Amino acid sequence: MQAFAALLDALSYQPARNAKLRLIETYLRETPDPDRGWALAALTGGLDFPAAKPALLRGFGEDKIGPELFHWSYDYVGDLAETLSLIWETGPDAGPPPTLGEVVDTLQRATKMQTPAILKRWLDALDATGRWALLKLLTGALRVGVSARLAKQAAANIGNKSVDEVEEIWHGLTPPYRPLLDWLLHDAPKPSTNAGGAFLPPMLANPIERAELEALDPAHFRAEWKWDGIRVQVAASGGVKRLYSRAGEDISAAFPDIIEAIDFEGVFDGELLVRRDETVAPFNDLQQRLNRKAVTPKMLKEHPAHVRLYDVLWLEGEDLRALSFDQRRARLEAWNAEKPRARFDVSPLVIFTDWAHLATLREQMTSDGIEGLMLKRGDSAYLAGRPKGPWFKWKRDPMLVDCVLMYAQRGHGKRSSFYSDYTFGCWREADGKRELAPVGKAYFGFTDEELRWLDKWVRDHTTNRFGPVREVAPELVLEIAFDGIARSTRHKSGVAMRFPRINRIRTDKPAAEADTIDSLVRLMP
Amino acid sequence: MTDTLDPRSWLYPTPRGLYCKPGDFYIDPAVAVPRAVITHGHGDHARPGHRAALATPETLAIMRARFEDMPDTQQQPLKYGESVQIGEVDVELAPAGHILGSAQAVLAYRGQRIVVSGDFKRRPDPTCPPFEPIPCDVFITEATFALPVFHHPSDMGEIGKLLRSVATFPERTHLVGVYALGKCQRVIRLLRAAGWDKRIWLHGGLMALCKLYQEQGVDLGDIAHVGDAILETFRGAIVLCPPSALADRWSRRFADPVPAVCSGWMRVRARARQSGAELPLVISDHADWGELCQTLKDVGAPKVWVTHGREEALVHMARSIGIDAEALHLAGRDEEDG
């Protein structure tokens, strides 16, 4: 941290571009990893912390020397972070100052509550320049007159490379840029932008309905099944192998079977599934594998994971994202044909002539492992985010079942005063009696107006209270829509719905005519 | 001490400077006066033209060097620790640790003792003896750096910054702006202590006082006037000059110089930027906030008068520890000299 602080300090006084470059170059050469990488991230705007609020800093200062002296000091210096860094004194028992890596690592993991105490400890341990640099890092802009481009130029210079070469691979690199620095300083191989198994922001689709399709030319679009797993990215490079969720969360630890099977370099977009022999298991099977810290051998054997690939972003050091979908698809298929793999396969294209034909194919597809169709323009580049136009998802019509409302609970946030979480059940025979068994819970699918109506209905028909939960008379039928159903040992009814929501309120239907558990079980694959 | 004696009745500010009535003399007056006691040789304290001037022998030597020998001034040298009576007042000079010859004026009258500390600092300086705290009834302190933001870092650390910059830019000339009296010689001594034994080049305006320091027994090593030395000589060299010369035509003779400034003001970024320094070095000959506060405790005076600088903060601090403190406004002080 002290070396980084000295660098920022020198940069802040240095008006000349070449001298700035020299300062950064010297720092990058002399500072060990990972600090120099974090510094490069700080200079290029690649670090993101929850910002420290001015009020927190002012409070620290006033506690330290009293409000009058702090006010006069701030008034003279004119910068809050600088004032605090100057009035604070290095504590005699503060221990060694933190390294930059330690600061970054700690801040990225610390909660908002923990931050003030950590910050005080560091302020004690650092000198004035160190404190200033730390507070600048924490309050956002460094303002030392260094653009991201200039910092990259300095990085390029230490390896006698051109800045364009660095820029070209930059967006795939993540702090602390170890592979980049190894390339620049130690003649390591040039990193591809998926160096170190970095996550690349995925491309997402917009929902579309049947009627809207008529405005689109089917010849421009390719269709593929939308598999009912979780969207993932497989990233492998330089010996680092990673599996990421759509949001960039590293889920490698929960899927060692996938990680072990990676024998290639590249970044792929696909769907994570549980697959037994040739069959895709219901989503519920995959759910058993998610959010687990330890994976048992039994789990690996009974719920084998598989990735069905949709797209390829990088292949063997080459960025393919600017290519068209058709071109990438050709590369993906050729790559797959070269060496078929047990844990990975390529999601097939659905061949169709026009929208009516595709609609028929969609109706006929009854496999539980499929959520609907994806439509992608053949000429679409792979763009981060959810661009409007190139990609659409056309989900399958949901399954419907009529259930009876059993319990209601108050919601949270803007719904906190409403009974907005509903537990519903279906009929079953037990010991010669007909009774309701809960089959699921729904929190949405209704309008605000329907919510007010449901809330009033719950209050008017309460038969029992258990804390925040009300039991209601078994009289109201709700039509529940859901995307899948699976056997479950966790639920009393033995079934679990995927994505259940309230489709309609069936005041027209007597409760006795609602569906039975048996009819639900028949919907299972 | 006489309880009824008001210290303000015998020592008080006037437009000509701080006046001691029972001794009929001024301390560091802003204009020429019949009799002056001079704490140290800086221009805002030592001025030419007094009929009589009392100061340490070193300070008088500095004044002679600056004011063409002062043939018309009756010079009265007083060594540290010796005392002399002027009128009804006993005057003694005690080390202030500010620059060569700098002193506190210790004035005793009717059992009451007032210390006029002049400018002072508390950390070691290889060119002068350290400040000596004198117990007193009234302590008059400077307040140049009297804000908690002023904490001068270790001077060897700052010299380290300079040498590090020389190593980073070996083809450039480091131009270091220093005050001709005190700062210049202290920085040379610090550079020597840090192992820089190469020749240190000096702007012409610094030569005379360096020579004087050498005559007073301060070893400055190999120093030389920049003069007409050829440009190539200055690559990787350290050149000392007055701060004003940094922006002067004089500095353009050097190839791509790195302007550095040594001053306590360099602690605050906005001030450092105003100075045009690429390399601000916080090296000051004044007490920082911590030293000012510590000094008030060390001298234990029940009354403190605060002069030139940020009086309000030091007055606030002194009152908070039970000292009867107030600001004392003196004519002719240059607070920018840091």
Side-chain angles (χ1 to χ4, degrees):
Chain A
M1 187 70 208
Q2 294 287 20
F4 176 63
L7 171 68
L8 288 189
D9 187 49
L11 287 172
S12 74
Y13 292 115
Q14 183 51 257
R17 183 175 183 276
N18 282 337
K20 283 183 190 192
L21 284 172
R22 184 85 65 82
L23 289 167
I24 303 171
E25 289 161 31
T26 306
Y27 173 87
L28 290 177
R29 268 194 217 98
E30 294 179 359
T31 310
D33 290 309
D35 279 26
R36 57 179 155 201
W38 291 121
L40 194 56
L43 291 172
T44 52
L47 287 183
D48 195 15
F49 306 126
K53 296 273 185 302
L56 178 75
L57 305 191
R58 190 173 285 117
F60 274 16
E62 291 182 351
D63 286 351
K64 202 77 178 170
I65 58 172
E68 296 90 350
L69 288 177
F70 189 75
H71 171 78
W72 284 319
S73 296
Y74 180 30
D75 198 44
Y76 183 81
V77 174
D79 179 285
L80 188 60
E82 188 184 344
T83 308
L84 187 63
S85 75
L86 293 176
I87 61 123
W88 205 275
E89 282 169 41
T90 308
D93 322 309
T99 64
L100 181 58
E102 210 177 317
V103 168
V104 173
D105 196 45
T106 309
L107 286 178
Q108 282 177 341
R109 282 187 288 119
T111 65
K112 218 172 169 181
M113 297 286 286
Q114 295 169 323
T115 308
I118 294 169
L119 193 51
K120 276 189 185 168
R121 204 174 65 226
W122 286 339
L123 291 174
D124 282 345
L126 289 161
D127 69 8
T129 310
R131 288 190 287 271
W132 169 76
L134 174 68
L135 294 172
K136 284 281 153 193
L137 264 185
L138 267 166
T139 50
L142 296 175
R143 294 208 187 87
V144 292
V146 174
S147 65
R149 174 83 177 177
L150 191 77
K152 289 172 198 167
Q153 176 76 61
N157 289 356
I158 60 170
N160 292 316
K161 301 289 191 286
S162 83
V163 67
D164 289 333
E165 255 187 295
V166 171
E167 287 278 19
E168 190 187 290
I169 56 171
W170 184 266
H171 61 294
L173 301 170
T174 50
Y177 309 118
R178 189 65 192 268
L180 172 75
L181 291 161
D182 284 346
W183 170 57
L184 293 168
L185 289 163
H186 307 305
D187 287 328
K190 180 177 173 180
S192 49
T193 72
N194 58 333
F199 174 72
L200 301 175
M203 179 160 175
L204 305 173
N206 290 291
I208 198 164
E209 301 287 336
R210 174 72 181 89
E212 298 170 272
L213 286 173
E214 292 308 328
L216 303 174
D217 181 350
H220 290 155
F221 284 85
R222 315 292 169 255
E224 60 194 23
W225 298 118
K226 185 176 184 333
W227 299 94
D228 189 14
I230 67 165
R231 180 96 176 271
V232 289
Q233 190 172 94
V234 182
S237 158
V240 181
K241 301 167 182 182
R242 296 270 156 77
L243 185 66
Y244 294 103
S245 73
R246 197 185 81 175
E249 188 194 353
D250 186 350
I251 54 171
S252 310
F255 295 93
D257 41 354
I258 296 293
I259 298 299
E260 277 165 25
I262 297 175
D263 60 350
F264 47 82
E265 296 244 316
V267 180
F268 296 85
D269 185 336
E271 196 85 16
L272 181 64
L273 305 164
V274 165
R275 184 177 178 226
R276 296 192 190 89
D277 303 322
E278 292 304 306
T279 315
V280 173
F283 182 78
N284 195 258
D285 281 52
L286 178 61
Q287 205 146 33
Q288 309 296 313
R289 293 275 316 257
L290 293 170
N291 305 321
R292 280 181 192 271
K293 285 202 185 82
V295 200
T296 61
K298 183 167 177 270
M299 187 65 77
L300 288 172
K301 191 160 174 282
E302 291 178 1
H303 297 79
H306 181 87
V307 178
R308 185 149 286 174
L309 302 172
Y310 294 131
D311 211 329
V312 57
L313 283 62
W314 270 80
L315 196 58
E316 284 137 13
E318 193 188 343
D319 191 348
L320 306 181
R321 286 174 291 177
L323 300 183
S324 70
F325 176 83
D326 288 343
Q327 288 170 309
R328 294 197 306 276
R329 178 83 201 181
R331 295 286 292 265
L332 179 63
E333 287 177 3
W335 171 82
N336 188 54
E338 218 169 81
K339 183 182 175 188
R341 292 163 174 87
R343 297 270 176 188
F344 303 91
D345 66 356
V346 173
S347 181
L349 288 184
V350 179
I351 308 301
F352 66 103
T353 49
D354 53 30
W355 296 128
H357 180 208
L358 191 61
T360 312
L361 293 171
R362 178 170 163 273
E363 295 303 319
Q364 288 168 352
M365 171 50 73
T366 54
S367 160
D368 183 62
I370 287 176
E371 270 190 285
L373 283 165
M374 294 298 298
L375 302 172
K376 299 175 176 175
R377 280 189 70 105
D379 59 4
S380 57
Y382 195 95
L383 303 169
R386 203 187 294 275
K388 283 211 157 51
W391 286 14
F392 297 102
K393 53 183 173 190
W394 187 18
K395 282 202 172 186
R396 217 157 72 165
D397 295 333
M399 293 184 238
L400 299 173
V401 63
D402 288 329
C403 299
V404 180
L405 180 63
M406 297 177 69
Y407 306 97
Q409 188 172 350
R410 274 198 294 266
H412 299 280
K414 67 172 189 174
R415 290 169 164 188
S416 58
S417 58
F418 289 103
Y419 285 90
S420 61
D421 299 1
Y422 309 106
T423 301
F424 44 83
C426 288
W427 297 108
R428 75 171 165 200
E429 301 280 343
D431 305 329
K433 271 195 341 204
R434 206 161 182 254
E435 61 169 28
L436 281 172
V439 295
K441 216 173 175 187
Y443 320 89
F444 50 91
F446 37 82
T447 64
D448 287 352
E449 196 185 332
E450 284 171 326
L451 172 62
R452 280 192 294 277
W453 187 91
L454 281 164
D455 179 68
K456 184 166 190 308
W457 193 93
V458 167
R459 290 170 197 272
D460 292 348
H461 295 82
T462 300
T463 56
N464 212 341
R465 292 170 196 229
F466 314 93
V469 178
R470 288 182 180 219
E471 184 177 2
V472 296
E475 291 167 14
L476 184 67
V477 175
L478 300 172
E479 184 182 272
I480 304 295
F482 55 98
D483 291 348
I485 188 160
R487 232 169 265 283
S488 165
T489 49
R490 285 196 216 170
H491 297 79
K492 214 165 143 190
S493 60
V495 295
M497 292 177 180
R498 175 144 157 80
F499 201 46
R501 64 263 186 199
I502 292 170
N503 203 46
R504 255 196 309 167
I505 303 169
R506 298 288 305 267
T507 47
D508 57 314
K509 193 164 189 171
E513 290 175 25
D515 282 305
T516 62
I517 294 276
D518 286 345
S519 59
L520 267 183
V521 170
R522 276 197 296 275
L523 289 172
M524 282 187 211
Chain B
M1 168 173 170
T2 311
D3 287 334
T4 50
L5 182 62
D6 177 5
R8 286 264 196 176
S9 70
W10 62 278
L11 186 73
Y12 47 85
T14 73
R16 303 169 89 180
L18 188 62
Y19 180 60
C20 179
K21 196 177 172 201
D24 189 24
F25 61 84
Y26 292 84
I27 298 163
D28 295 346
V31 294
V33 297
R35 178 174 283 278
V37 171
I38 307 296
T39 60
H40 66 283
H42 275 143
D44 53 339
H45 293 257
R47 290 171 207 267
H50 306 309
R51 210 171 307 143
L54 180 144
T56 61
E58 296 86 354
T59 297
L60 288 172
I62 290 165
M63 290 174 76
R64 283 194 298 275
R66 303 189 109 181
F67 307 134
E68 296 160 350
D69 269 356
M70 300 197 297
D72 301 327
T73 299
Q74 185 207 325
Q75 298 167 32
Q76 188 174 2
L78 186 67
K79 286 186 188 163
Y80 294 129
E82 291 179 355
S83 82
V84 66
Q85 192 167 354
I86 306 178
E88 297 175 67
V89 181
D90 282 324
V91 179
E92 194 186 312
L93 297 177
H98 178 55
I99 59 166
L100 179 70
S102 66
Q104 312 172 66
V106 183
L107 313 176
Y109 172 63
R110 292 200 195 162
Q112 196 166 55
R113 187 190 275 165
I114 302 181
V115 172
V116 186
S117 61
D119 291 341
F120 68 94
K121 69 169 175 289
R122 300 299 301 272
R123 61 190 66 202
D125 180 335
T127 66
C128 62
F131 177 94
E132 204 174 285
I134 310 286
C136 54
D137 301 295
V138 180
F139 183 71
I140 303 182
T141 180
E142 61 146 313
T144 309
F145 292 116
L147 274 178
V149 296
F150 292 109
H151 171 90
H152 307 326
S154 126
D155 41 20
M156 286 312 285
E158 297 300 286
I159 289 296
K161 266 163 81 177
L162 172 59
L163 294 181
R164 195 173 153 68
S165 178
V166 172
T168 305
F169 301 106
E171 76 291 0
R172 301 175 72 185
T173 305
H174 281 68
L175 280 186
V176 185
V178 289
Y179 299 108
L181 173 58
K183 190 71 64 68
C184 168
Q185 297 77 22
R186 180 169 165 219
V187 166
I188 294 173
R189 285 296 302 251
L190 289 169
L191 278 167
R192 298 305 183 207
W196 183 265
D197 47 16
K198 293 187 196 165
R199 173 170 290 181
I200 294 172
W201 295 91
L202 301 178
H203 180 278
L206 306 178
M207 290 305 293
L209 285 163
C210 283
K211 191 159 162 278
L212 183 144
Y213 264 64
Q214 286 172 318
E215 285 164 8
Q216 295 285 330
V218 179
D219 180 11
L220 300 178
D222 181 9
I223 56 171
H225 183 205
V226 167
D228 302 319
I230 55 163
L231 191 68
E232 203 54 36
T233 313
F234 301 112
R235 291 194 186 280
I238 295 177
V239 178
L240 270 49
C241 63
S244 60
L246 288 176
D248 200 67
R249 203 176 46 187
W250 173 84
S251 69
R252 287 181 216 157
R253 72 183 67 193
F254 304 101
D256 192 18
V258 178
V261 174
C262 294
S263 161
W265 300 112
M266 298 301 108
R267 174 87 166 160
V268 174
R269 281 164 197 281
R271 294 291 296 260
R273 281 197 202 96
Q274 285 160 16
S275 78
E278 268 179 40
L279 184 64
L281 302 172
V282 187
I283 298 179
S284 174
D285 286 325
H286 292 267
D288 66 12
W289 172 254
E291 293 170 23
L292 288 168
C293 295
Q294 185 59 45
T295 302
L296 297 193
K297 291 170 192 163
D298 289 347
V299 301
K303 262 186 206 300
V304 166
W305 297 343
V306 183
T307 70
H308 60 295
R310 268 130 291 277
E311 296 94 348
E312 57 188 354
L314 193 57
V315 167
H316 173 88
M317 182 271 154
R319 287 180 180 164
S320 76
I321 57 169
I323 296 172
D324 176 12
E326 58 185 311
L328 185 72
H329 296 289
L330 294 178
R333 283 289 179 275
D334 175 14
E335 70 146 63
E336 295 307 293
D337 179 14

